[in-house]
């Protein structure tokens, strides 16, 4: 409920790291409460010890032996000159590369799009322009090309204090934002959602094709359909929709994916922040909503739109928190909320075709102490018949991960009637189980993780990489093997190996690829390879991408002057051989921004990255040293014009003179 007056500015951290213990109050043991951290044996042998750990605990003789044991070849799979970590108003890319701004908030997407006029923005103009806070970036080739295709981009949320003139007051060094009127709310709603836009590379430079016939804006008002097991259920019926199938809009679209059949899938993440109001006394959704942190009332939308007010539409919040699938081949297609993939705070939805043709989607639930999931389709992917794949996401099995101390992984099926998912526990159907996916995970004994973000399956080495961004609320007695650090401020990356190299397997193994943070500070307990330079380490892994050569690229959220003395960026991380756990900085964002994307095109000659909320903050950056807002910004990236606010944007990176990235 929004009881703040005047309203505080919305920050991503407010939603993602809201105070409190997280919303998982189940008493699942954190893996038997085993305190001993499991050393990554492979990492140990090949020199993945933290520099600090070596200095603090290992004798010089042991160090020499470790060096000997290390594979002679520590050559990185990435070839580029590392960027220097730091903080300023601009973006920086490795020497020899161009990083060109391709699409900014407010840019035209259609021939009739109004010119961007930030002081006179309207909901109608925003709905014809590129949205705010770009997160996931995907590419769907046209005729198999890596130089002509559709770019699909999520617009996760809006920052009013950076977007709108005349709404901020600074009181006692803190920003306060005036309550929104309907016009402002409607602009925000039009700035959410997604973009589908044709792009083409001409003479080495990417350009938007403004009259592309498939160009499309998805917003918080776009008509959508609930599909799969929850469609039509009583718990998703509302006063406005007696069918329980017709929903308007998608919100807080964080990471996502592109399916093997060329559709765009998008995860609804922090949906709790959009609802306000009190549930009616007779509503049965109180416990369900509490587990999702609903309502949080960060936004004022519910003051003007009944569906975001729980007192008026108590079931509406069950219609959000899904993965949405958009058929980009038809700009009038009705996006489908694929309920079979569960309801939680969805991060990415990267997928891969298993050996037997079923398709596997890896899904993170970004909350402290929440879970890692995967969905395996019942049907098989048909590469010769696109239409035959279009409803694959309505049938299949959702699994939640249990990581055991011996390095084994069990994928537990979330199926009504199996194990504890029965009437005795209040579930009457698979729809009930999916609406309360988190509670199903609690009952099954899934492993409580340090905020699962994006998950990247790697078709080249057969592994899967799980980004765990941080969890400062994990206490000493909650430490477990797969989440080995209490007060985990910097996060870590887990590597999964599915049984027999089968992504659809129900068992696997896991180990920690690396623990993030400054490896020169012993207390941090980071574990980058010793080849990693002072620029190469980072904290808070978030989105990730695996390129066509099977190399891992990681984007971060939360590096800052105060936390790590650097901005967020794109880091290239070796996973193989003697270079394993070596990290190098390839691109960094301007002050206040978070790094999203990333995307490496199939020919590996272009990378797209998304700069989210640039200029959001400046207090802890000495050259600025005060709050940043529309009239007084810590950076005016990317235009650097006095009359233009800071603008989230997608940046296209190419090698000067052409060629593959980092090769
Ligand atoms: Fe929107 Fe979990 O990052
Ligand atoms: Ca993310
Ligand atoms: Ca991804
Ligand atoms: Ca994020």
């Amino acid at each position: 409920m929004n009881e703040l007056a005047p309203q505080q500015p919305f920050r991503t951290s407010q939603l993602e790291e809201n105070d409190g213990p997280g919303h998982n109050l189940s008493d699942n043991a954190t893996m038997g409460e085993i305190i001993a951290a499991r050393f990554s044996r492979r990492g140990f042998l090949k020199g993945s010890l933290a520099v600090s750990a070596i200095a603090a605990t290992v004798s010089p003789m042991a160090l020499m032996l470790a060096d000997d044991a290390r594979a002679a070849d520590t050559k990185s799979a990435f070839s580029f000159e590392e960027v220097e970590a730091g903080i300023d108003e601009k973006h920086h890319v490795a020497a020899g590369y161009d990083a060109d701004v391709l699409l900014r908030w407010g840019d035209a997407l259609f021939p009739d799009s109004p010119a961007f006029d930030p002081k006179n923005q309207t909901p109608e103009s925003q709905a014809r322009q590129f949205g705010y806070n770009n997160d996931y970036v995907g590419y769907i080739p046209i005729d198999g090309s890596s130089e002509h295709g559709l770019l699909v981009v999520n617009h996760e949320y809006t920052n009013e204090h950076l977007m709108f003139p005349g709404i901020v007051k600074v009181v006692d060094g803190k920003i306060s934002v005036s309550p929104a009127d309907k016009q402002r709310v409607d602009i925000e709603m039009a700035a959410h959602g997604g973009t589908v836009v044709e792009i083409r590379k001409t003479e080495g430079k990417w350009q938007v094709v403004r009259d592309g016939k498939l160009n499309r804006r998805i917003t918080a008002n776009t008509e959508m359909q609930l599909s799969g097991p929850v469609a039509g259920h009583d718990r998703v019926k509302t006063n406005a929709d007696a069918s329980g199938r017709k929903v308007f809009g998608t919100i807080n679209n964080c990471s996502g994916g592109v399916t093997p059949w060329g559709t765009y899938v998008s995860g609804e993440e922090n949906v709790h922040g959009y609802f306000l109001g009190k549930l009616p006394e007779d509503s049965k959704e109180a416990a369900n909503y509490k587990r999702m942190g609903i309502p949080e009332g960060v936004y004022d939308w519910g003051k003007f739109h009944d569906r975001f007010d729980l007192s008026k539409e108590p079931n509406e919040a069950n219609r959000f928190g899904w993965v949405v699938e958009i058929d980009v081949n038809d700009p009038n297609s009705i996006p489908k909320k694929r309920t079979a993939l569960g309801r939680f705070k969805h991060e990415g939805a990267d997928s891969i075709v298993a050996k037997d043709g079923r398709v596997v989607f890896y899904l993170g639930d970004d909350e402290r102490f929440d879970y890692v999931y995967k969905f395996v389709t019942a049907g098989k992917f048909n590469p010769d018949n696109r239409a035959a794949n279009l409803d694959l996401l309505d049938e299949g099995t959702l699994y939640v991960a249990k990581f055991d101390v011996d390095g084994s992984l069990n994928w537990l099926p979330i199926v009504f009637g199996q194990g504890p998912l029965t009437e005795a526990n209040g579930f009457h159907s698979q729809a009930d189980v999916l609406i309360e996916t988190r509670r199903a995970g609690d009952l099954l004994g899934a492993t409580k993780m340090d905020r699962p973000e994006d998950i990247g399956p790697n078709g080249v080495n057969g592994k899967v990489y799980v980004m765990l961004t941080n969890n400062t609320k994990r206490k000493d007695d909650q430490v477990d093997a797969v989440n080995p650090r209490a007060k985990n401020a910097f996060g870590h990356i887990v590597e999964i190996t599915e049984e027999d190299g089968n992504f659809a397997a129900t068992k696997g193994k896991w180990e920690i690829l690396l623990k993030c943070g400054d490896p020169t500070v012993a207390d941090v307990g980071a574990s980058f390879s010793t080849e990693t330079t002072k620029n190469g380490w980072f904290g808070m892994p978030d989105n990730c991408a695996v390129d066509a050569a099977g190399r891992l690229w990681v984007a971060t959220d939360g590096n800052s002057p105060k936390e790590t003395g650097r901005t967020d960026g794109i880091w290239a991380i070796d996973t193989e051989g003697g270079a394993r756990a070596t990290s190098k900085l390839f691109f960094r964002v301007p002050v206040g921004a978070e790094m999203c994307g990333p995307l490496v095109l199939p020919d590996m000659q272009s990378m797209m990255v998304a700069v989210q909320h640039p200029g959001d903050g400046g207090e802890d950056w000495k050259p600025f040293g005060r709050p940043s807002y529309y009239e007084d910004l810590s950076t005016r990236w990317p235009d650097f014009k006095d009359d233009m606010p800071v603008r989230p944007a997608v940046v296209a990176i190419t090698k000067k003179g052409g060629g593959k990235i980092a090769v």
Side-chain angles (χ1 to χ4, degrees):
M1 192 129 50
N2 187 355
E3 294 173 337
L4 298 170
Q7 192 192 7
Q8 297 301 305
F10 171 64
R11 291 268 169 79
T12 180
S13 56
Q14 213 175 316
L15 282 180
E16 294 178 357
E17 300 183 56
N18 45 1
D19 281 338
H23 294 288
N24 189 348
L25 303 179
S26 70
D27 53 7
N28 279 3
T30 48
M31 238 169 357
E33 292 162 310
I34 292 156
I35 304 224
R38 172 175 175 267
F39 264 92
S40 157
R41 192 157 44 130
R42 183 175 170 188
F44 187 84
L45 288 174
K46 294 190 178 162
S48 263
L49 275 175
V51 175
S52 53
I54 291 170
T57 62
V58 183
S59 71
M61 180 59 79
L63 191 56
M64 284 167 63
L65 290 172
D67 271 350
D68 285 349
R70 199 163 166 171
D73 184 10
T74 55
K75 193 172 178 314
S76 171
F78 299 92
S79 173
F80 64 88
E81 197 181 314
E82 191 171 40
V83 174
E84 192 172 340
I87 303 139
D88 64 24
E89 301 95 323
K90 298 180 185 152
H91 69 264
H92 297 264
V93 68
Y97 291 83
D98 289 320
D100 302 316
V101 174
L102 176 66
L103 265 170
R104 301 160 297 184
W105 165 49
D107 276 347
L109 295 170
F110 308 93
D112 67 350
S113 296
F116 182 54
D117 180 359
K119 290 205 163 99
N120 297 292
Q121 191 71 328
T122 65
E124 294 74 27
S125 58
Q126 179 62 78
R128 304 296 284 169
Q129 298 164 340
F130 194 61
Y132 208 77
N133 274 345
N134 29 220
D135 195 296
Y136 174 73
V137 182
Y139 179 79
I140 300 172
I142 293 176
D143 296 331
S145 174
S146 281
E147 301 197 332
H148 184 208
L150 298 176
L151 197 72
V152 297
V153 183
N154 282 350
H155 300 297
E156 188 179 16
Y157 63 97
T158 48
N159 298 100
E160 296 101 320
H161 63 298
L162 302 175
M163 286 176 78
F164 298 102
I167 66 166
V168 168
K169 268 193 219 154
V170 179
V171 182
D172 298 333
K174 292 214 166 93
I175 283 175
S176 92
V177 177
S178 64
D181 58 16
K182 183 164 186 298
Q183 172 86 347
R184 198 167 104 201
V185 162
D186 288 349
I187 294 169
E188 288 169 16
M189 290 177 74
H192 275 69
T195 287
V196 179
V197 63
E198 187 176 333
I199 56 169
R200 188 192 288 275
K201 196 173 169 197
T202 309
E203 292 171 5
K205 293 286 175 195
W206 283 97
Q207 279 167 345
V208 169
V209 181
R210 207 173 286 176
D211 57 358
K213 294 198 168 31
L214 302 179
N215 292 2
R216 179 172 192 184
R217 266 308 314 284
I218 311 280
T219 74
N221 290 306
T222 303
E223 183 182 338
M224 314 212 156
Q225 191 186 323
L226 277 171
S227 89
V230 174
H233 192 277
D234 282 348
R235 295 176 72 180
V236 290
K237 288 179 181 163
T238 65
N239 294 318
D241 171 34
S243 75
R245 292 170 192 274
K246 186 173 171 180
V247 185
F248 288 95
T250 184
I251 48 177
N252 213 271
N253 302 78
C254 189
S255 197
V258 164
T259 64
W261 50 95
T263 59
Y264 160 29
V265 282
S266 177
E268 296 183 330
E269 192 190 26
N270 289 299
V271 299
H272 58 297
Y274 298 80
F275 295 91
L276 48 75
K278 200 171 175 333
L279 271 179
E281 292 293 326
D282 63 348
S283 170
K284 296 194 178 78
E285 301 300 342
N288 162 29
Y289 285 0
K290 188 172 182 202
R291 184 69 178 82
M292 286 283 282
I294 295 169
E296 177 98 356
V298 173
Y299 289 100
D300 289 334
W301 298 9
K303 291 183 184 166
F304 306 100
H305 298 278
D306 287 355
R307 61 201 180 98
F308 295 107
D309 182 341
L310 299 182
S311 71
K312 295 174 180 158
E313 284 288 14
N315 285 348
E316 185 73 14
N318 278 337
R319 293 142 65 93
F320 291 85
W322 305 104
V323 168
V324 181
E325 182 176 21
I326 298 151
D327 182 359
V328 297
N329 281 17
D330 173 5
N332 298 311
S333 65
I334 294 179
K336 292 185 175 167
K337 296 200 176 189
R338 298 295 186 181
T339 63
L341 279 66
R343 174 170 169 271
F344 43 89
K345 293 183 185 173
H346 274 282
E347 261 289 328
D350 279 326
S351 58
I352 193 155
V353 181
K355 284 176 181 170
D356 68 0
R358 288 180 295 163
V359 189
V360 184
F361 287 75
Y362 287 92
L363 311 165
D365 181 358
D366 184 1
E367 182 108 38
R368 296 186 189 103
F369 302 108
D370 264 293
Y371 307 132
V372 166
Y373 298 84
K374 77 175 177 185
F375 177 79
V376 182
T377 59
K380 292 179 180 177
F381 170 56
N382 183 341
D384 303 318
N385 182 357
R386 183 175 185 273
N389 302 307
L390 285 180
D391 285 318
L392 276 179
L393 287 180
D394 277 346
E395 261 184 82
T397 306
L398 182 65
Y399 298 90
V400 66
K402 185 165 185 285
F403 295 87
D404 286 313
V405 69
D406 61 355
S408 64
L409 162 66
N410 283 289
W411 291 105
L412 311 172
I414 299 179
V415 177
F416 172 66
Q418 290 190 17
L421 308 183
T422 58
E423 303 265 354
N425 283 312
F427 298 113
H428 306 291
S429 64
Q430 182 66 8
D432 278 336
V433 168
L434 291 167
I435 288 169
E436 296 182 73
T437 303
R438 284 180 164 187
R439 188 163 72 89
D442 299 342
L443 289 164
L444 287 164
T447 305
K448 297 174 170 186
M449 307 298 286
D450 286 347
R451 291 185 57 200
E453 297 262 12
D454 208 2
I455 304 175
N458 183 335
V460 176
N461 70 1
K463 313 267 165 122
V464 182
Y465 295 93
V466 183
M467 307 299 121
L468 298 160
T469 201
N470 61 32
N471 181 357
T472 51
K473 301 283 182 190
R474 187 176 291 274
K475 300 195 178 89
D476 288 331
D477 64 358
Q478 294 176 308
V479 161
D480 60 33
V482 74
N483 300 283
R485 287 187 290 183
K487 296 188 193 71
N488 180 5
F490 304 105
H492 55 290
I493 300 176
V494 167
E495 180 185 68
I496 291 172
T497 307
E498 301 279 26
E499 192 170 69
D500 300 325
N502 171 19
F503 289 102
T506 56
K507 286 183 191 317
K509 296 202 170 308
W510 66 268
E511 61 182 88
I512 290 175
L513 171 66
L514 64 82
K515 290 178 273 179
C516 305
D518 184 347
T520 67
V521 179
D523 283 350
V524 168
S527 65
F528 289 95
S529 85
T530 51
E531 310 295 313
T532 303
T533 74
K534 67 179 172 37
N535 302 308
W537 66 266
F538 60 86
M540 305 76 147
D542 187 343
N543 294 11
C544 70
V546 174
D547 69 21
R551 301 179 305 173
L552 179 64
W553 299 86
V554 172
T556 60
D557 169 14
N559 292 271
S560 69
K562 198 169 125 211
E563 297 290 336
T564 55
R566 57 199 57 208
T567 62
D568 284 321
I570 300 286
W571 275 269
I573 299 173
D574 279 290
T575 56
E576 305 302 313
R580 185 171 160 90
T582 302
S583 168
K584 283 163 71 175
L585 178 56
F586 182 67
F587 177 91
R588 69 177 224 225
V589 295
V591 63
E594 164 180 351
M595 185 85 267
C596 299
L599 158 76
V600 183
L601 268 64
D603 69 356
M604 288 180 32
Q605 298 207 23
S606 303
M607 177 188 280
M608 303 286 178
V609 298
V611 176
Q612 192 185 79
H613 63 79
D616 185 16
E619 297 92 328
D620 61 350
W621 180 46
K622 267 199 184 142
F624 193 71
R626 57 189 187 275
S628 173
Y629 58 99
Y630 190 97
E631 284 82 7
D632 185 20
L633 288 160
S634 54
T635 176
R636 287 191 184 272
W637 190 89
D639 302 307
F640 297 104
K641 288 183 185 153
D642 289 344
D643 61 349
M644 200 47 91
V646 69
R647 300 167 81 179
V650 172
V651 174
I653 301 173
T654 50
K655 204 181 227 174
K656 287 182 193 296
K660 292 186 177 180
I661 305 270
V663 171

